[in-house]
Amino acid sequence: MHISNLTAALALAVTLASCSSPAPTNTDNSPHTRDVFAMDTYMSMKAYGENGEKALSEAEEYIKKLESDLSATSPDSCISRVNSADSKPTEITDEAAEIIAKALEIGKKTNGALDITLYPMLKEWGFTTGEYQIPKTEAISRILRNTGFERVQLSGNAVTVPDGFQIDLGALAKGFTSDKIMDIMRKNDVSSAIVSLGGNVQAVGTKPDGSQWKVAVRDPFAPDTDMCVVEIGSKAVITSGNYERFFTGSDGKNYWHILDPSDGFPADNGLVSVTVIGDSGLECDALSTALFVLGDGKAQDYWDANQGFDMILVTDDKRIVCTDGIADSFTNMSGMDAEVLSRD
Ligand code: AMP
Ligand code: MG
C-alpha cells in the first residue's frame, strides 16, 4: 500500500475529461422530482424519462414501508418487536433480515467496529431524542455489558437478541433504501436517476446528456461548503461524519452520534469523515460507519485487504486520503492536501 500526492492524477483527469464527448443516451432533459421526509432525513429524488413520475411514486411508497419496518423508535416496527422480545425469536421482514445479515457480516469483518446493538448506548447519550447528555461512567459500563453484535442470532427471517439487548439499523438503513430505490428505477426502465438521502447519494446510469453525475462531499470542517466533487455513474456515495449529529457538552467538547463499541464513547480515532463509493448502497453505508470507527490507519488497512469499494477519508489533522480507483474522478475544492492511496 502506498500514498502519493494527488496533483498528477488530477491533471490526467482534466485531460481525459476534455478529450471525451459522451454520446447522449436520453433526450428528455427535464427531471421528475420528489422530496420526502422519512427516517429522520430529507430525501430528494430525481428521475428522467417518461416513466420517471411513476417510478418516484413507487419509490415514495416503498420508503414509507421501509421506514415503518425498520425504525427502532416507532413501537410497531419489526425492530421494536425484536427489542422487546425478551430473548425470544422474532419473525422480521425480508428487508430487515437482509440488512441485519449485512450488519453482522461487516461487524465481523471489522472486528466489531460496526455494532447494531449499541441502541441502548445511543439512547443514554440522547442521540435518539435530542435530549443530549454525557452519560455517567457507571451507566456506560452497565450498558456495555448488554452490547455485542456477535450475540445477535439470525436464522432465516427469525432474529434473537439476548434479554436487555436492543438493536438499531441506523448505520445501514439509508444505504439499503437507496439500493431499493435504484431497483425501482430500473424496474420502471428509468435509465437516468439520482437520489440524495440526507447527503447519501446513489445514482442509476448517467445524466440524460450522457455525462457523469457530479456528487459533492461536504467539508467536515465547514459543513456548509463542499470539500470535493466526485464524478460517478451507477454508484453510491455515502458519508459518515462527526458533524452530522453532535452536541457540545458542558465541558466544551463535541460529542457525535457514531459510537465506538469498545468504550461507548463517540468514535475518535483520527477521522472526521469517511465517504465510501461503490455499487451497493447497503455495503457503502455499513462501511462508512465502520471505517469511521476503525480510524485512519485501520480504515486504510481494511481497504487494502478488501476489494470492491473506494473511499475518501478526512483526518482530524486536515488531510484528505482518497483511494486510487476514484482519484481520476475526484476534484479537491478544499484547501486541504489530498493524497492517493494505492494497493501496490
Ligand atoms: P451513519 O450516519 O451511517 O454513520 O450511521 C450513524 C448511525 O448509526 C447513528 O445515528 C446510530 O444510529 C448508529 N450507530 C452509531 N454508532 C454505531 C456503530 N459503531 N455501529 C453501528 N451503528 C452505529
Ligand atoms: Mg453508515
Side-chain angles (χ1 to χ4, degrees):
M1 193 167 54
H2 82 261
I3 277 196
S4 57
N5 198 288
L6 186 63
T7 324
L10 205 59
L12 180 66
V14 171
T15 319
L16 286 176
S18 57
C19 292
S20 64
S21 52
T25 53
N26 184 337
T27 48
D28 183 352
N29 283 352
S30 51
H32 303 271
T33 61
R34 190 74 57 99
D35 294 328
V36 179
F37 184 79
M39 302 180 181
D40 216 11
T41 302
Y42 289 98
M43 305 184 168
S44 66
M45 304 186 278
K46 231 184 232 186
Y48 292 82
E50 56 179 339
N51 298 336
E53 200 58 29
K54 176 171 170 278
L56 289 176
S57 296
E58 268 182 46
E60 181 171 359
E61 208 172 300
Y62 193 71
I63 290 167
K64 296 273 161 67
K65 174 198 153 19
L66 278 182
E67 179 178 39
S68 64
D69 280 353
L70 302 178
S71 162
T73 49
S74 90
D76 302 329
S77 74
C78 67
I79 299 306
S80 294
R81 283 193 283 108
V82 170
N83 289 344
S84 53
D86 295 334
S87 74
K88 289 193 274 301
T90 305
E91 214 39 47
I92 56 173
T93 58
D94 291 348
E95 288 90 344
E98 188 180 339
I99 299 172
I100 291 175
K102 178 57 77 177
L104 300 182
E105 177 202 322
I106 300 292
K108 203 166 173 191
K109 284 173 84 174
T110 59
N111 292 323
L114 187 76
D115 189 335
I116 53 170
T117 67
L118 288 175
Y119 191 55
M121 196 68 84
L122 290 157
K123 283 201 282 192
E124 188 69 20
W125 281 93
F127 287 113
T128 53
T129 56
E131 289 166 28
Y132 301 121
Q133 58 161 358
I134 304 169
K136 297 214 165 46
T137 319
E138 307 84 71
I140 298 238
S141 315
R142 174 176 44 79
I143 294 169
L144 278 178
R145 286 196 285 275
N146 280 345
T147 63
F149 78 98
E150 63 283 76
R151 305 281 306 278
V152 176
Q153 288 171 27
L154 179 69
S155 168
N157 279 24
V159 63
T160 314
V161 299
D163 205 13
F165 277 52
Q166 293 191 325
I167 60 169
D168 132 71
L169 305 181
L172 320 87
K174 290 202 273 292
F176 179 82
T177 305
S178 56
D179 276 342
K180 294 296 165 187
I181 299 172
M182 297 301 107
D183 289 346
I184 291 171
M185 295 299 156
R186 291 192 189 93
K187 194 188 81 195
N188 281 284
D189 293 325
V190 171
S191 57
S192 184
I194 190 161
V195 298
S196 169
L197 313 189
N200 291 338
V201 173
Q202 194 161 348
V204 164
T206 60
K207 287 203 265 182
D209 67 1
S211 63
Q212 301 278 86
W213 304 102
K214 290 189 174 63
V215 179
V217 177
R218 292 209 271 166
D219 184 340
F221 297 103
D224 291 336
T225 58
D226 296 337
M227 174 182 80
C228 66
V229 167
V230 281
E231 294 190 36
I232 55 154
S234 298
K235 297 268 180 203
V237 180
I238 296 197
T239 300
S240 292
N242 70 346
Y243 56 89
E244 289 175 323
R245 190 174 307 165
F246 68 94
F247 68 97
T248 306
S250 48
D251 56 2
K253 288 195 203 151
N254 286 350
Y255 294 92
W256 47 86
H257 68 306
I258 302 174
L259 301 183
D260 191 330
S262 67
D263 63 6
F265 270 76
D268 195 7
N269 299 315
L271 295 176
V272 290
S273 95
V274 175
T275 300
V276 178
I277 299 132
D279 293 332
S280 154
L282 177 61
E283 172 111 3
C284 291
D285 203 358
L287 283 178
S288 67
T289 311
L291 299 180
F292 185 98
V293 172
L294 283 179
D296 188 16
K298 287 185 185 161
Q300 293 192 26
D301 292 344
Y302 185 92
W303 177 79
D304 200 34
N306 293 277
Q307 311 286 324
F309 72 97
D310 278 288
M311 62 183 187
I312 302 167
L313 309 178
V314 185
T315 65
D316 57 9
D317 58 358
K318 298 198 170 181
R319 286 178 297 113
I320 302 174
V321 177
C322 82
T323 54
D324 56 2
I326 45 143
D328 289 354
S329 48
F330 169 94
T331 307
N332 184 6
M333 292 146 69
S334 74
M336 291 182 268
D337 282 342
E339 300 157 345
V340 180
L341 190 64
S342 313
R343 284 203 176 84
D344 45 23

